[in-house]
Amino acid sequence: MLRLLGLRRSAHALIASSASFLRPQNPNPSVTGAAASALLRCHPFSTNRAASSTVSDADVRKYLGYFALVVGCGAATYYSFPFPGDAKHKKAEIFRYAPLPEDLHTVSNWSGTHEVHTRVFLQPETLGELEAVVKEAHEKKSKIRPVGSGLSPNGIGLQRAGMVNLALMDKVIEVDRAARRVRVQAGARVSQLVDALREHGLTLQNFASIREQQVGGFVQVGAHGTGACLPPIDEQIISMKLVTPAKGTIEVSEEEDPELFCLARCGLGGLGVVAEVTIQCVDRHELVEHTFVSNIDEIKKNHKKWLAENKHIKYLWIPYTDTVVVVRCNPLSKWKGRPKVDSKYGKDEALQHVRDLYRDSLRKYRVEEKIEDSEINQFSFTELRDKLLALDPVNKDHVVKVNQAEAEFWRKSEGYRVGWSDEILGFDCGGQQWVSENCFPVGTLAKPSMKDIQFIEDLKRLIEREGIPAPAPIEQRWTARSRSLMSPASSSLDDDIFCWVGIIMYLPTSDALQRKEITEEFFSYRRLTQRELWGEYSAYEHWAKIEVPKDKEELSTLQARLRKRFPVDAYNKARRELDPHGILSSGMLDKLFPQVETV
Amino acid sequence: MASFGEAPPGNAQAGEKIFRTKCAQCHSVDKGGGHKQGPNLNGLFGRQSGTTAGYSYSAANKNKGVIWEESTLYDYLLNPKKYIPGTKMVFPGLKKPQERADLIAYLKESTA
């Protein structure tokens, strides 16, 4: 009670002193706030009683109310914070798996970086079923975005409102041995297709690092392997069966409708559900893979020659070191006899120093969990790298040490490997990760511009200047041009070549906070490369790796930029014609290619 | 239907479809087939978690030390990341009891 009285007294005092800067709302427009407060301050007992008392009484009540509110809030805050040590009821939990309703499908991409929950996840088994699904969705204007294996690092196939997945339409329909062509349902995984082609003595011309993606997604996002004479995968497509919402099932090929064909080959799943694909194959062949360590000076001297001479070649640059790993693959038929396969060091020798670093780091970071030597000795290099990075993923000095160990590992892993092309061209690209891969023109095979090497020099300088905890490798690959209009390597000139450079940060942990930290670091890394390199080199991101900016201004800059490189209007026009209700589209596509009404 | 004992009977054919759409990109069930992103599942039933030769499991998976059988798989497949926190498997799980029962029926046939 005493306390309450005290509060009241101080309330009066507060009003007297604060009335000078608080502006009361006055119902009488002729008396301004300033005047009223002057009245309150200077003439508390003015002779003009009627006017001043109406003003002050109302105001006093109001400010008393405000004051009580402030004091009340203050007291409530004081008594509820901080939590006592044993308080459990309100503590924020970092991450919690809430039980989801049973009819909700959760679909996530391989890197676990994108995830959606949906009630609509349709899996037709036949073309007829797929056609019915598309027709119904078109009539109801409900979303069915085509999604494959969910391999794309940016989850381009994901769509909360609904998806259609062709995993049950995975049959090889026909193999034409003479023409070396295969007709396959788009839900087949690349590995399934390659297994089926094997018995016919055929294989695909080129491969991405992983072979578990569905053919439909593989083609639609413009996947690519490496080799300056070999185009991205979409260029190998002879014809496609598209199930479209507005025009039903159509077969598109160069002969039938060249314009639509060139748009739809790398159509990002926006023009129709790709149901069947005819792919140009090549004879199954063995490759000799030669891995060796080089440096920038040697690369500069030999780059033009290497690019032209090797069927498949890629460079793996290791930030903060002079090391670049060169991996080149050529047909065994070009060799006289089989090359000596053995490398100088055994697997254990090549890994020993990495294991030692891991053991030292475990001690240094005082990891309590006991990890047996026998267990450490079983880890592959990429697993060791993941485990090492997980100890302190965004600490530059730590990452530099891991990179140096990686350089040493590759020095000890130089050598040759012989195998079938589909086995050799795969690449263990490590565990979960963030990647950003850009494609830019680098002249022609006869006259390379050397912009690719400049790009890397600039990038490595940027990394060192900014102290970015950039792990290895920066993967650099090449392709010939594609005639698909939406391909980042699209060009009308036959002998143009393009370079693809991927930067990476691994997500070697399931700890939500650590993942967030790495994610932020990665996006700052990516933003820096964007600011300093993309414009200068006319570099555009791979469709499976492009991330949509949250910031409105950044988004409109990106949209304008895409418009400069790609026939966005033609793509949108085709989308409007084939899919007027946008049932195949997604938030990502709508943001990248906003439908602008054209006159 | 919180445990396998209460689950509806599984249909292996329906389970095969689930396997093809949700599991096959990382797992194979064929005897002698290699490991992919995930381990080969041949001989799964009765095996302890994290013990297939030649596959490098997460410590979490090995430490769990669970014996894979209908009842444990049923709980695991509801929410793998909750059942084995720290698992490498990027699979959000199957919420429907029927789907889990179907998949388990298929796995039992195909991995034997």
Side-chain angles (χ1 to χ4, degrees):
Chain A
M1 194 62 208
L2 260 174
R3 194 176 159 160
L4 249 179
L5 279 172
L7 278 179
R8 263 211 179 158
R9 264 203 301 279
S10 48
H12 284 291
L14 188 85
I15 287 164
S17 63
S18 63
S20 57
F21 59 85
L22 286 173
R23 281 176 158 251
Q25 281 185 327
N26 200 313
N28 180 356
S30 67
V31 184
T32 65
S37 59
L39 263 175
L40 259 172
R41 194 179 56 214
C42 308
H43 308 284
F45 305 107
S46 161
T47 46
N48 190 353
R49 280 215 130 150
S52 78
S53 77
T54 47
V55 171
S56 56
D57 276 0
D59 283 350
V60 164
R61 272 199 300 279
K62 189 160 72 189
Y63 288 119
L64 260 176
Y66 286 163
F67 184 74
L69 194 68
V70 169
V71 170
C73 290
T77 310
Y78 177 81
Y79 284 109
S80 45
F81 286 98
F83 290 127
D86 58 347
K88 290 200 178 86
H89 59 297
K90 278 180 186 165
K91 249 190 187 166
E93 291 206 19
I94 295 164
F95 194 69
R96 197 168 156 184
Y97 290 99
L100 289 166
E102 280 179 8
D103 61 339
L104 220 52
H105 271 276
T106 309
V107 186
S108 54
N109 70 338
W110 264 32
S111 277
T113 51
H114 295 266
E115 182 177 276
V116 293
H117 307 295
T118 183
R119 289 208 148 74
V120 184
F121 190 76
L122 306 167
Q123 299 178 311
E125 289 183 51
T126 60
L127 183 62
E129 276 180 37
L130 173 64
E131 285 168 335
V133 158
V134 173
K135 186 162 176 274
E136 193 188 332
H138 178 57
E139 281 162 10
K140 289 187 180 161
K141 300 185 184 175
S142 55
K143 291 262 187 219
I144 43 158
R145 170 103 180 119
V147 65
S149 300
L151 204 75
S152 295
N154 63 355
I156 192 172
L158 303 180
Q159 166 63 35
R160 191 188 316 262
M163 285 170 276
V164 61
N165 174 282
L166 267 55
L168 299 175
M169 290 174 63
D170 59 353
K171 286 165 207 62
V172 174
I173 300 167
E174 194 188 354
V175 179
D176 181 346
R177 180 68 188 84
R180 299 191 186 90
R181 284 180 184 180
V182 62
R183 179 82 169 170
V184 62
Q185 286 187 310
R189 281 173 285 107
V190 172
S191 61
Q192 280 177 294
L193 173 59
V194 174
D195 287 348
L197 286 173
R198 188 169 301 149
E199 58 190 88
H200 300 276
L202 296 174
T203 191
L204 298 182
Q205 185 193 42
N206 211 344
F207 292 93
S209 308
I210 295 170
R211 302 183 309 153
E212 299 307 327
Q213 57 283 72
Q214 287 179 16
V215 169
F218 191 51
V219 173
Q220 285 289 290
V221 300
H224 66 95
T226 190
C229 296
L230 308 172
I233 309 294
D234 48 85
E235 187 65 25
Q236 299 303 303
I237 305 306
I238 303 291
S239 76
M240 289 192 304
K241 181 167 276 164
L242 282 184
V243 180
T244 71
K247 297 196 172 162
T249 303
I250 53 175
E251 186 74 29
V252 286
S253 66
E254 187 128 45
E255 295 79 43
E256 295 282 318
D257 187 345
E259 201 182 328
L260 179 61
F261 179 64
C262 286
L263 269 177
R265 273 203 304 197
C266 179
L268 311 178
L271 298 176
V273 182
V274 180
E276 293 172 13
V277 189
T278 303
I279 308 174
Q280 182 63 55
C281 304
V282 296
D283 285 329
R284 193 161 181 248
H285 55 280
E286 280 184 291
L287 289 176
V288 178
E289 179 193 75
H290 179 203
T291 304
F292 62 97
V293 164
S294 184
N295 57 57
I296 183 93
D297 296 328
E298 206 178 53
I299 296 263
K300 277 184 181 165
K301 240 182 273 163
N302 294 296
H303 181 56
K304 288 181 186 176
K305 195 174 81 181
W306 285 352
L307 213 51
E309 277 177 2
N310 293 288
K311 187 167 181 204
H312 307 271
I313 187 162
K314 68 178 170 188
Y315 299 157
L316 305 171
W317 302 81
I318 302 179
Y320 297 105
T321 73
D322 298 330
T323 307
V324 43
V325 183
V326 181
V327 183
R328 51 179 179 181
C329 302
N330 289 294
L332 183 62
S333 51
K334 268 175 69 175
W335 290 77
K336 285 189 192 116
R338 289 179 97 86
K340 196 169 156 281
V341 176
D342 299 337
S343 57
K344 239 189 287 172
Y345 300 87
K347 185 178 156 250
D348 280 325
E349 282 172 282
L351 277 174
Q352 198 48 51
H353 69 285
V354 192
R355 291 171 186 157
D356 292 343
L357 177 64
Y358 183 47
R359 272 186 283 262
D360 289 349
S361 305
L362 284 175
R363 271 192 296 277
K364 185 180 158 201
Y365 285 94
R366 299 201 176 120
V367 176
E368 280 168 22
E369 189 195 345
K370 182 91 185 89
I371 301 173
E372 299 294 333
D373 272 4
S374 59
E375 199 178 328
I376 293 178
N377 293 345
Q378 277 181 9
F379 294 143
S380 68
F381 173 72
T382 51
E383 283 165 339
L384 276 168
R385 181 177 59 199
D386 255 18
K387 288 182 187 300
L388 270 164
L389 288 171
L391 293 170
D392 204 355
V394 295
N395 178 342
K396 186 206 102 186
D397 296 330
H398 179 64
V399 174
V400 170
K401 270 189 210 155
V402 179
N403 286 0
Q404 284 162 349
E406 174 150 6
E408 179 75 23
F409 165 74
W410 285 109
R411 247 192 303 284
K412 291 178 176 166
S413 306
E414 289 186 327
Y416 293 88
R417 204 160 64 110
V418 180
W420 295 101
S421 65
D422 56 298
E423 295 154 8
I424 289 286
L425 292 174
F427 177 62
D428 182 0
C429 41
Q432 295 190 18
Q433 54 196 244
W434 278 111
V435 279
S436 165
E437 186 182 23
N438 271 279
C439 175
F440 52 95
V442 288
T444 63
L445 202 52
K447 227 178 157 191
S449 67
M450 295 297 276
K451 285 260 182 203
D452 33 16
I453 307 304
Q454 273 174 36
F455 184 97
I456 296 287
E457 284 188 299
D458 285 352
L459 177 57
K460 283 187 76 186
R461 253 197 302 273
L462 171 75
I463 290 169
E464 284 173 26
R465 192 189 72 213
E466 301 286 335
I468 299 167
I474 295 168
E475 192 182 30
Q476 186 171 36
R477 295 179 283 179
W478 291 267
T479 67
R481 65 93 190 233
S482 165
R483 283 168 302 158
S484 307
L485 298 171
M486 295 299 285
S487 167
S490 119
S491 166
S492 53
L493 300 172
D494 214 12
D495 45 3
D496 275 358
I497 55 172
F498 288 80
C499 173
W500 303 71
V501 176
I503 58 169
I504 194 161
M505 272 194 191
Y506 301 95
L507 291 163
T509 161
S510 54
D511 178 88
L513 268 180
Q514 212 181 22
R515 285 179 81 99
K516 185 165 172 274
E517 221 174 44
I518 299 169
T519 300
E520 278 166 10
E521 199 66 45
F522 174 76
F523 276 89
S524 132
Y525 180 14
R526 179 174 166 273
R527 203 171 304 120
L528 284 165
T529 60
Q530 173 179 10
R531 201 177 62 201
E532 305 214 358
L533 301 172
W534 296 4
E536 194 188 328
Y537 289 91
S538 307
Y540 287 84
E541 276 188 295
H542 189 310
W543 291 121
K545 292 160 185 168
I546 190 168
E547 296 284 345
V548 178
K550 290 194 180 89
D551 181 79
K552 266 194 179 160
E553 212 168 293
E554 279 178 50
L555 178 62
S556 59
T557 312
L558 173 64
Q559 289 165 346
R561 200 164 178 267
L562 292 176
R563 197 167 274 283
K564 263 199 278 176
R565 173 74 175 100
F566 301 102
V568 173
D569 285 330
Y571 180 63
N572 278 343
K573 183 166 165 274
R575 290 209 291 159
R576 273 196 304 275
E577 280 170 16
L578 297 168
D579 178 21
H581 307 317
I583 63 167
L584 306 176
S585 190
S586 65
M588 184 180 272
L589 285 199
D590 292 340
K591 279 184 183 148
L592 294 177
F593 316 109
Q595 296 268 11
V596 184
E597 290 303 318
T598 41
V599 185
Chain B
M1 288 182 283
S3 71
F4 185 73
E6 301 161 34
N11 173 345
Q13 258 181 322
E16 190 200 339
K17 283 181 195 166
I18 296 172
F19 187 84
R20 273 161 69 195
T21 54
K22 303 212 161 149
C23 318
Q25 59 260 44
C26 298
H27 295 284
S28 131
V29 289
D30 304 330
K31 192 166 186 176
H35 300 305
K36 299 211 262 182
Q37 193 83 355
N40 185 318
L41 297 178
N42 198 271
L44 174 71
F45 282 74
R47 189 162 65 203
Q48 187 177 326
S49 69
T51 58
T52 315
Y55 185 78
S56 163
Y57 286 92
S58 64
N61 198 306
K62 281 187 271 192
N63 294 341
K64 181 80 184 176
V66 62
I67 304 292
W68 291 127
E69 52 195 36
E70 276 122 331
S71 57
T72 49
L73 282 169
Y74 186 79
D75 296 343
Y76 174 61
L77 290 169
L78 170 65
N79 191 339
K81 283 184 225 165
K82 191 177 168 191
Y83 194 80
I84 305 185
T87 178
K88 282 205 275 191
M89 183 162 91
V90 188
F91 178 56
L94 295 167
K95 305 301 163 223
K96 289 184 191 160
Q98 183 67 58
E99 288 187 348
R100 271 177 284 154
D102 292 346
L103 181 58
I104 290 168
Y106 168 72
L107 286 175
K108 190 147 197 201
E109 275 182 17
S110 63
T111 63

